[in-house]
Amino acid sequence: AYVWLWDNFRIIELPYDSPWTWIFCLIFQDLLYYIGHRAVHEAGFFWGLHTIHHSSEYYNLSTALRQAAIQDAGLAIYDVIQVLFLA
């Protein structure tokens, strides 16, 4: 699916060997993750999946790692957005 999206829907083609491409992708990926995570906190259904992550009285590694699998699948759409720019 990735190759098909790249072949048919890419917006621009960034050079993979340029450091600026990697810096851009790092910032862009972080921004997309923030937007997706913020949406999870704002939307009721997704908050219901995400609330287990915030359910402990103490925040530690085991609490941080509690995530719903369906949430990760939903956030993967933000990873696919980068296919419009990179091969």
Side-chain angles (χ1 to χ4, degrees):
Y2 188 94
V3 173
W4 181 81
L5 285 169
W6 167 252
D7 287 340
N8 295 299
F9 296 105
R10 71 175 169 251
I11 297 170
I12 59 173
E13 185 173 347
L14 298 174
Y16 67 88
D17 56 350
S18 169
W20 292 110
T21 299
W22 292 99
I23 292 168
F24 168 75
C25 287
L26 176 70
I27 293 168
F28 190 63
Q29 177 67 25
D30 193 50
L31 175 66
L32 289 176
Y33 179 80
Y34 170 77
I35 291 169
H37 194 193
R38 181 68 184 251
V40 166
H41 279 253
E42 299 291 331
F45 173 75
F46 298 113
W47 175 248
L49 298 172
H50 187 70
T51 192
I52 60 170
H53 171 70
H54 294 278
S55 64
S56 179
E57 201 172 306
Y58 303 102
Y59 195 77
N60 53 35
L61 182 61
S62 66
T63 304
L65 295 177
R66 283 191 259 174
Q67 301 286 339
I70 194 168
Q71 173 187 322
D72 292 337
L75 288 175
I77 190 66
Y78 294 103
D79 297 330
V80 174
I81 290 173
Q82 285 194 354
V83 76
L84 302 175
F85 300 99
L86 288 179

